[in-house]
Amino acid sequence: PCNLTGWWENELGSKMQVFKVGNDGTFSGEYHTAVSSAEKPIQPSPLIGSQHLDEDGQCTFGFTVNWKKFSDSTAVFVGQCFNGDDDKEVLHTSWLLREKVDLEPDDWKATR
């Protein structure tokens, strides 16, 4: 079965550490992004999430990252863990990033 606990790295060099997955599927950790448009220096950011525990081990999951240490934005990720051909676990995710805007008319450009 897929175990989210530990370090993960994506193709852009961002890293995520999941500290521990509870019996109910909840987890927390830190996200170390390698990319940012913020003016402040990048810092590790807290994440919290939940995984669907499944018998075949290829679980779905979701988590939120609060970039509050260096940005006024929040990101959500959803994905699934797969056991690859070489038995190496691989995560496939999609994400949305919400940046703060000062005025409601600018809402259209706040989510990517």
Side-chain angles (χ1 to χ4, degrees):
C2 238
N3 181 356
L4 295 179
T5 302
W7 283 96
W8 298 89
E9 185 172 355
N10 70 15
E11 65 277 2
L12 299 175
S14 296
K15 297 177 183 177
M16 170 179 77
Q17 182 182 19
V18 175
F19 298 140
K20 179 183 176 186
V21 178
N23 291 336
D24 62 352
T26 59
F27 60 90
S28 63
E30 283 188 334
Y31 201 95
H32 302 248
T33 188
V35 294
S36 172
S37 61
E39 293 179 13
K40 294 180 182 177
I42 294 172
Q43 295 187 43
S45 300
L47 69 84
I48 189 161
S50 181
Q51 116 179 34
H52 177 84
L53 303 171
D54 202 345
E55 292 82 35
D56 70 3
Q58 300 193 132
C59 67
T60 58
F61 60 89
F63 60 91
T64 301
V65 179
N66 186 334
W67 309 108
K68 64 185 175 185
K69 293 181 178 181
F70 66 94
S71 176
D72 290 331
S73 62
T74 302
V76 293
F77 294 75
V78 294
Q80 183 172 346
C81 182
F82 293 94
N83 292 311
D85 294 335
D86 58 359
D87 281 337
K88 185 176 180 181
E89 296 167 338
V90 177
L91 305 183
H92 286 260
T93 62
S94 296
W95 56 270
L96 289 172
L97 176 74
R98 176 64 188 217
E99 295 178 305
K100 177 184 166 187
V101 292
D102 294 325
L103 302 170
E104 186 179 0
D106 293 330
D107 182 65
W108 68 271
K109 63 180 181 179
T111 302
R112 357 181 218 157

